[in-house]
Amino acid sequence: MNILYGVPGEGLGHATRSKVVIRYLLDQGHNVCVVSSSRAYQMLAANFPGRVHEIRGFHLAYKHLAVSKSRTAALTLRSAPESLRVNFAKYRELLCDFQPDLVISDFESFSYFFAKWKRLPLISIDNMQIISRTQLDITVPASERTNLALARQVVRAKLPRSQRYFITTFFQLPITRENTTLVPPIIRPEILAAQSTVGNHVLVYQSATTQKDLVPLLQSLPGQEFRVYGFNKEEGHGNVQLRAFSEQGFIDDLASARAVITNGGFSLISEAVYLHKPICAIPIPAQFEQFLNAAQVEKLGYGRHFAALTADNVKAFLYDLSGFEEALASYQQHGNDLLFNELDKALETISEVVL
């Protein structure tokens, strides 16, 4: 089957997860063509030479460690004319080079519009649809209700009327819409192969934020060892070690960590849950999906959810590690088998119609 696969360029989490599914589809004998942008395009092009097309994507703008709605809107409007020109040319290029039977999108719009234009069946595989296709079971404070409403509007506008929705999640919620299946998070092979141990260090990950007082904050806890990723520096500051980017180094430090401090990003939280690592989650403000992930971490007993990273919050988190470890011990996931089995059945059903 010829499959067009759309991957958004914002961040590398979608690309890392999509890479696993794309590799599986190729191993199953499908012919896959990928569209993506920015750093995700670069990573996927390096892994799948000759199969990845570059498009113009949508990007978030930040101000004071939070998503800025006004700056994001301005950035989108400013780049829209050139993005439309580039993407329209890519539509024509794809029509000449590739005739897909099916489109799969990981919350990516170019592939969605291509599917609708060519009247092709569409499958959604992502974690974001949980916001609009399930019933939430957490208390949403007043400060987050506007963010929830906005997130629902955005998610509902993405990939409407797809044939199937596979939602990757480490927590279970009641499904409220048809053609929807919850599956465990997509775990990359390197994490599946990692041997989880309990070392002395705490892994700290900073992504979109650049919290300038992070190092002195962690230094105020001299009895703890911290290995920090996100600044892309190799420096020692007493009990705080800044780590330059290294995929294998990060995996090794994650697999041997006693705990993880991160934002509310889905990928790292999912990998930490899979490896049974207690999590201290501080979601980026104005991103409801991150708030939801962090709230579920605390609801399930896998760690703590804080609005801000402070020395007292870190102390409170580290004090309760044994209880978090006990809750995490009950989490079980058999690799990516469930998603792959469900995807195979969906592809077989669709192929009977389109081929």
Side-chain angles (χ1 to χ4, degrees), residues 169-200:
T169 177
F170 63 91
F171 51 92
Q172 297 297 306
L173 295 176
I175 295 170
T176 58
R177 298 196 176 193
E178 61 183 3
N179 301 323
T180 303
T181 303
L182 302 185
V183 296
I186 298 168
I187 304 297
R188 49 185 164 153
E190 296 84 358
I191 296 295
L192 294 177
Q195 182 66 42
S196 183
T197 59
V198 181
N200 295 319

mmCIF file of all heavy atoms in Angstrom, residues 169-200:
data_model
loop_
_atom_site.group_PDB
_atom_site.id
_atom_site.type_symbol
_atom_site.label_atom_id
_atom_site.label_comp_id
_atom_site.label_asym_id
_atom_site.label_seq_id
_atom_site.Cartn_x
_atom_site.Cartn_y
_atom_site.Cartn_z
ATOM 1 N N THR A 169 -1.608 7.196 24.717
ATOM 2 C CA THR A 169 -1.808 7.744 26.054
ATOM 3 C C THR A 169 -1.288 6.788 27.118
ATOM 4 O O THR A 169 -1.375 5.567 26.955
ATOM 5 C CB THR A 169 -3.293 8.038 26.304
ATOM 6 O OG1 THR A 169 -3.467 8.502 27.642
ATOM 7 C CG2 THR A 169 -4.154 6.808 26.068
ATOM 8 N N PHE A 170 -0.771 7.360 28.232
ATOM 9 C CA PHE A 170 -0.359 6.523 29.362
ATOM 10 C C PHE A 170 -1.452 6.475 30.423
ATOM 11 O O PHE A 170 -1.282 5.862 31.470
ATOM 12 C CB PHE A 170 0.960 7.038 29.967
ATOM 13 C CG PHE A 170 0.892 8.423 30.551
ATOM 14 C CD1 PHE A 170 0.568 8.609 31.891
ATOM 15 C CD2 PHE A 170 1.162 9.532 29.783
ATOM 16 C CE1 PHE A 170 0.500 9.884 32.435
ATOM 17 C CE2 PHE A 170 1.110 10.809 30.315
ATOM 18 C CZ PHE A 170 0.778 10.986 31.647
ATOM 19 N N PHE A 171 -2.600 7.125 30.178
ATOM 20 C CA PHE A 171 -3.730 7.087 31.110
ATOM 21 C C PHE A 171 -5.005 6.803 30.325
ATOM 22 O O PHE A 171 -5.126 7.130 29.155
ATOM 23 C CB PHE A 171 -3.855 8.400 31.892
ATOM 24 C CG PHE A 171 -3.860 9.636 31.019
ATOM 25 C CD1 PHE A 171 -5.041 10.193 30.560
ATOM 26 C CD2 PHE A 171 -2.662 10.260 30.665
ATOM 27 C CE1 PHE A 171 -5.046 11.334 29.767
ATOM 28 C CE2 PHE A 171 -2.655 11.407 29.872
ATOM 29 C CZ PHE A 171 -3.842 11.941 29.417
ATOM 30 N N GLN A 172 -5.948 6.173 30.984
ATOM 31 C CA GLN A 172 -7.191 5.763 30.348
ATOM 32 C C GLN A 172 -8.321 6.728 30.682
ATOM 33 O O GLN A 172 -8.494 7.118 31.830
ATOM 34 C CB GLN A 172 -7.570 4.346 30.792
ATOM 35 C CG GLN A 172 -6.570 3.282 30.388
ATOM 36 C CD GLN A 172 -6.463 3.152 28.878
ATOM 37 O OE1 GLN A 172 -7.455 2.968 28.173
ATOM 38 N NE2 GLN A 172 -5.239 3.246 28.374
ATOM 39 N N LEU A 173 -9.110 7.092 29.649
ATOM 40 C CA LEU A 173 -10.277 7.942 29.831
ATOM 41 C C LEU A 173 -11.437 7.376 29.017
ATOM 42 O O LEU A 173 -11.207 6.678 28.017
ATOM 43 C CB LEU A 173 -9.986 9.373 29.357
ATOM 44 C CG LEU A 173 -8.935 10.179 30.122
ATOM 45 C CD1 LEU A 173 -8.719 11.534 29.448
ATOM 46 C CD2 LEU A 173 -9.331 10.365 31.573
ATOM 47 N N PRO A 174 -12.682 7.676 29.401
ATOM 48 C CA PRO A 174 -13.830 7.218 28.606
ATOM 49 C C PRO A 174 -13.833 7.889 27.224
ATOM 50 O O PRO A 174 -13.688 9.111 27.115
ATOM 51 C CB PRO A 174 -15.037 7.670 29.439
ATOM 52 C CG PRO A 174 -14.504 7.887 30.817
ATOM 53 C CD PRO A 174 -13.094 8.347 30.653
ATOM 54 N N ILE A 175 -14.020 7.093 26.176
ATOM 55 C CA ILE A 175 -14.083 7.615 24.805
ATOM 56 C C ILE A 175 -15.481 8.172 24.544
ATOM 57 O O ILE A 175 -16.483 7.550 24.886
ATOM 58 C CB ILE A 175 -13.735 6.503 23.800
ATOM 59 C CG1 ILE A 175 -12.278 6.065 23.982
ATOM 60 C CG2 ILE A 175 -13.977 6.950 22.362
ATOM 61 C CD1 ILE A 175 -11.906 4.823 23.202
ATOM 62 N N THR A 176 -15.526 9.356 23.926
ATOM 63 C CA THR A 176 -16.816 10.015 23.688
ATOM 64 C C THR A 176 -17.171 10.109 22.209
ATOM 65 O O THR A 176 -18.264 10.567 21.878
ATOM 66 C CB THR A 176 -16.813 11.432 24.287
ATOM 67 O OG1 THR A 176 -15.743 12.193 23.703
ATOM 68 C CG2 THR A 176 -16.629 11.384 25.796
ATOM 69 N N ARG A 177 -16.281 9.688 21.316
ATOM 70 C CA ARG A 177 -16.561 9.786 19.887
ATOM 71 C C ARG A 177 -16.217 8.479 19.189
ATOM 72 O O ARG A 177 -15.329 7.735 19.629
ATOM 73 C CB ARG A 177 -15.762 10.945 19.266
ATOM 74 C CG ARG A 177 -16.129 12.292 19.866
ATOM 75 C CD ARG A 177 -15.656 13.440 19.016
ATOM 76 N NE ARG A 177 -16.105 14.722 19.554
ATOM 77 C CZ ARG A 177 -16.058 15.861 18.902
ATOM 78 N NH1 ARG A 177 -15.582 15.896 17.663
ATOM 79 N NH2 ARG A 177 -16.476 16.985 19.458
ATOM 80 N N GLU A 178 -16.901 8.225 18.093
ATOM 81 C CA GLU A 178 -16.730 6.953 17.398
ATOM 82 C C GLU A 178 -15.398 6.904 16.652
ATOM 83 O O GLU A 178 -14.714 7.905 16.488
ATOM 84 C CB GLU A 178 -17.885 6.737 16.421
ATOM 85 C CG GLU A 178 -17.985 7.796 15.343
ATOM 86 C CD GLU A 178 -19.185 7.574 14.441
ATOM 87 O OE1 GLU A 178 -19.957 6.635 14.706
ATOM 88 O OE2 GLU A 178 -19.339 8.340 13.472
ATOM 89 N N ASN A 179 -15.070 5.681 16.186
ATOM 90 C CA ASN A 179 -13.851 5.432 15.402
ATOM 91 C C ASN A 179 -12.591 5.847 16.147
ATOM 92 O O ASN A 179 -11.613 6.297 15.544
ATOM 93 C CB ASN A 179 -13.914 6.156 14.052
ATOM 94 C CG ASN A 179 -15.090 5.732 13.214
ATOM 95 O OD1 ASN A 179 -15.471 4.556 13.215
ATOM 96 N ND2 ASN A 179 -15.710 6.671 12.512
ATOM 97 N N THR A 180 -12.617 5.710 17.475
ATOM 98 C CA THR A 180 -11.508 6.145 18.318
ATOM 99 C C THR A 180 -11.012 4.978 19.160
ATOM 100 O O THR A 180 -11.810 4.264 19.771
ATOM 101 C CB THR A 180 -11.941 7.296 19.238
ATOM 102 O OG1 THR A 180 -12.440 8.374 18.439
ATOM 103 C CG2 THR A 180 -10.793 7.787 20.090
ATOM 104 N N THR A 181 -9.698 4.798 19.203
ATOM 105 C CA THR A 181 -9.090 3.731 19.992
ATOM 106 C C THR A 181 -7.927 4.303 20.793
ATOM 107 O O THR A 181 -7.066 4.992 20.238
ATOM 108 C CB THR A 181 -8.554 2.598 19.088
ATOM 109 O OG1 THR A 181 -9.629 2.100 18.276
ATOM 110 C CG2 THR A 181 -7.982 1.463 19.922
ATOM 111 N N LEU A 182 -7.900 4.017 22.093
ATOM 112 C CA LEU A 182 -6.772 4.400 22.927
ATOM 113 C C LEU A 182 -5.725 3.298 22.889
ATOM 114 O O LEU A 182 -6.050 2.115 23.045
ATOM 115 C CB LEU A 182 -7.211 4.639 24.378
ATOM 116 C CG LEU A 182 -8.289 5.697 24.633
ATOM 117 C CD1 LEU A 182 -8.501 5.875 26.140
ATOM 118 C CD2 LEU A 182 -7.922 7.028 23.997
ATOM 119 N N VAL A 183 -4.476 3.689 22.684
ATOM 120 C CA VAL A 183 -3.364 2.732 22.651
ATOM 121 C C VAL A 183 -2.245 3.272 23.533
ATOM 122 O O VAL A 183 -2.168 4.478 23.779
ATOM 123 C CB VAL A 183 -2.850 2.502 21.211
ATOM 124 C CG1 VAL A 183 -3.916 1.858 20.351
ATOM 125 C CG2 VAL A 183 -2.344 3.803 20.597
ATOM 126 N N PRO A 184 -1.354 2.403 24.007
ATOM 127 C CA PRO A 184 -0.236 2.889 24.829
ATOM 128 C C PRO A 184 0.674 3.817 24.027
ATOM 129 O O PRO A 184 0.662 3.817 22.795
ATOM 130 C CB PRO A 184 0.505 1.603 25.213
ATOM 131 C CG PRO A 184 -0.505 0.514 25.060
ATOM 132 C CD PRO A 184 -1.377 0.938 23.914
ATOM 133 N N PRO A 185 1.485 4.619 24.720
ATOM 134 C CA PRO A 185 2.409 5.518 24.028
ATOM 135 C C PRO A 185 3.350 4.762 23.101
ATOM 136 O O PRO A 185 3.700 3.600 23.359
ATOM 137 C CB PRO A 185 3.186 6.180 25.169
ATOM 138 C CG PRO A 185 2.291 6.059 26.365
ATOM 139 C CD PRO A 185 1.559 4.768 26.187
ATOM 140 N N ILE A 186 3.767 5.416 22.024
ATOM 141 C CA ILE A 186 4.754 4.845 21.110
ATOM 142 C C ILE A 186 6.124 4.990 21.764
ATOM 143 O O ILE A 186 6.560 6.094 22.084
ATOM 144 C CB ILE A 186 4.737 5.564 19.753
ATOM 145 C CG1 ILE A 186 3.361 5.399 19.088
ATOM 146 C CG2 ILE A 186 5.841 5.045 18.839
ATOM 147 C CD1 ILE A 186 3.149 6.297 17.887
ATOM 148 N N ILE A 187 6.798 3.868 21.967
ATOM 149 C CA ILE A 187 8.101 3.855 22.628
ATOM 150 C C ILE A 187 9.175 3.488 21.609
ATOM 151 O O ILE A 187 9.072 2.468 20.936
ATOM 152 C CB ILE A 187 8.126 2.851 23.799
ATOM 153 C CG1 ILE A 187 6.991 3.160 24.793
ATOM 154 C CG2 ILE A 187 9.480 2.874 24.498
ATOM 155 C CD1 ILE A 187 7.083 4.504 25.465
ATOM 156 N N ARG A 188 10.200 4.317 21.488
ATOM 157 C CA ARG A 188 11.248 4.054 20.504
ATOM 158 C C ARG A 188 12.056 2.820 20.897
ATOM 159 O O ARG A 188 12.170 2.485 22.096
ATOM 160 C CB ARG A 188 12.143 5.274 20.339
ATOM 161 C CG ARG A 188 12.651 5.878 21.622
ATOM 162 C CD ARG A 188 13.431 7.137 21.385
ATOM 163 N NE ARG A 188 13.586 7.900 22.623
ATOM 164 C CZ ARG A 188 14.596 8.720 22.863
ATOM 165 N NH1 ARG A 188 15.547 8.888 21.954
ATOM 166 N NH2 ARG A 188 14.668 9.385 24.003
ATOM 167 N N PRO A 189 12.652 2.121 19.927
ATOM 168 C CA PRO A 189 13.360 0.863 20.204
ATOM 169 C C PRO A 189 14.477 1.001 21.220
ATOM 170 O O PRO A 189 14.727 0.082 22.005
ATOM 171 C CB PRO A 189 13.921 0.467 18.828
ATOM 172 C CG PRO A 189 13.049 1.155 17.839
ATOM 173 C CD PRO A 189 12.607 2.427 18.485
ATOM 174 N N GLU A 190 15.153 2.155 21.228
ATOM 175 C CA GLU A 190 16.258 2.339 22.171
ATOM 176 C C GLU A 190 15.787 2.318 23.618
ATOM 177 O O GLU A 190 16.488 1.834 24.511
ATOM 178 C CB GLU A 190 16.971 3.670 21.873
ATOM 179 C CG GLU A 190 17.642 3.746 20.514
ATOM 180 C CD GLU A 190 16.688 4.140 19.386
ATOM 181 O OE1 GLU A 190 15.475 4.315 19.652
ATOM 182 O OE2 GLU A 190 17.162 4.285 18.253
ATOM 183 N N ILE A 191 14.574 2.838 23.862
ATOM 184 C CA ILE A 191 14.007 2.791 25.205
ATOM 185 C C ILE A 191 13.514 1.384 25.523
ATOM 186 O O ILE A 191 13.685 0.887 26.648
ATOM 187 C CB ILE A 191 12.861 3.806 25.351
ATOM 188 C CG1 ILE A 191 13.386 5.238 25.191
ATOM 189 C CG2 ILE A 191 12.154 3.648 26.695
ATOM 190 C CD1 ILE A 191 14.336 5.693 26.264
ATOM 191 N N LEU A 192 12.922 0.712 24.532
ATOM 192 C CA LEU A 192 12.477 -0.671 24.750
ATOM 193 C C LEU A 192 13.651 -1.572 25.127
ATOM 194 O O LEU A 192 13.502 -2.506 25.916
ATOM 195 C CB LEU A 192 11.802 -1.212 23.480
ATOM 196 C CG LEU A 192 10.493 -0.547 23.053
ATOM 197 C CD1 LEU A 192 10.007 -1.145 21.739
ATOM 198 C CD2 LEU A 192 9.426 -0.683 24.130
ATOM 199 N N ALA A 193 14.822 -1.276 24.560
ATOM 200 C CA ALA A 193 16.007 -2.112 24.801
ATOM 201 C C ALA A 193 16.747 -1.714 26.071
ATOM 202 O O ALA A 193 17.617 -2.458 26.544
ATOM 203 C CB ALA A 193 16.950 -2.022 23.608
ATOM 204 N N ALA A 194 16.441 -0.543 26.633
ATOM 205 C CA ALA A 194 17.185 -0.046 27.792
ATOM 206 C C ALA A 194 16.871 -0.865 29.047
ATOM 207 O O ALA A 194 15.735 -1.299 29.252
ATOM 208 C CB ALA A 194 16.848 1.422 28.034
ATOM 209 N N GLN A 195 17.884 -1.063 29.863
ATOM 210 C CA GLN A 195 17.717 -1.755 31.141
ATOM 211 C C GLN A 195 17.526 -0.713 32.232
ATOM 212 O O GLN A 195 18.425 0.067 32.512
ATOM 213 C CB GLN A 195 18.948 -2.612 31.452
ATOM 214 C CG GLN A 195 18.850 -3.414 32.730
ATOM 215 C CD GLN A 195 17.771 -4.488 32.675
ATOM 216 O OE1 GLN A 195 17.615 -5.172 31.664
ATOM 217 N NE2 GLN A 195 17.025 -4.640 33.760
ATOM 218 N N SER A 196 16.360 -0.680 32.847
ATOM 219 C CA SER A 196 16.071 0.315 33.865
ATOM 220 C C SER A 196 16.727 -0.051 35.185
ATOM 221 O O SER A 196 16.533 -1.142 35.714
ATOM 222 C CB SER A 196 14.559 0.457 34.058
ATOM 223 O OG SER A 196 14.272 1.468 34.990
ATOM 224 N N THR A 197 17.541 0.865 35.708
ATOM 225 C CA THR A 197 18.173 0.708 37.009
ATOM 226 C C THR A 197 17.908 1.977 37.824
ATOM 227 O O THR A 197 17.408 2.975 37.295
ATOM 228 C CB THR A 197 19.684 0.482 36.868
ATOM 229 O OG1 THR A 197 20.266 1.610 36.189
ATOM 230 C CG2 THR A 197 19.982 -0.791 36.072
ATOM 231 N N VAL A 198 18.257 1.948 39.096
ATOM 232 C CA VAL A 198 18.040 3.109 39.960
ATOM 233 C C VAL A 198 19.398 3.623 40.438
ATOM 234 O O VAL A 198 20.018 3.028 41.316
ATOM 235 C CB VAL A 198 17.137 2.766 41.159
ATOM 236 C CG1 VAL A 198 16.920 4.011 42.025
ATOM 237 C CG2 VAL A 198 15.802 2.218 40.684
ATOM 238 N N GLY A 199 19.860 4.719 39.830
ATOM 239 C CA GLY A 199 21.134 5.317 40.212
ATOM 240 C C GLY A 199 20.941 6.391 41.269
ATOM 241 O O GLY A 199 19.904 6.465 41.931
ATOM 242 N N ASN A 200 21.950 7.252 41.404
ATOM 243 C CA ASN A 200 21.905 8.308 42.412
ATOM 244 C C ASN A 200 21.437 9.651 41.859
ATOM 245 O O ASN A 200 21.135 10.557 42.621
ATOM 246 C CB ASN A 200 23.295 8.495 43.041
ATOM 247 C CG ASN A 200 23.739 7.270 43.812
ATOM 248 O OD1 ASN A 200 22.933 6.656 44.510
ATOM 249 N ND2 ASN A 200 25.010 6.912 43.692
#
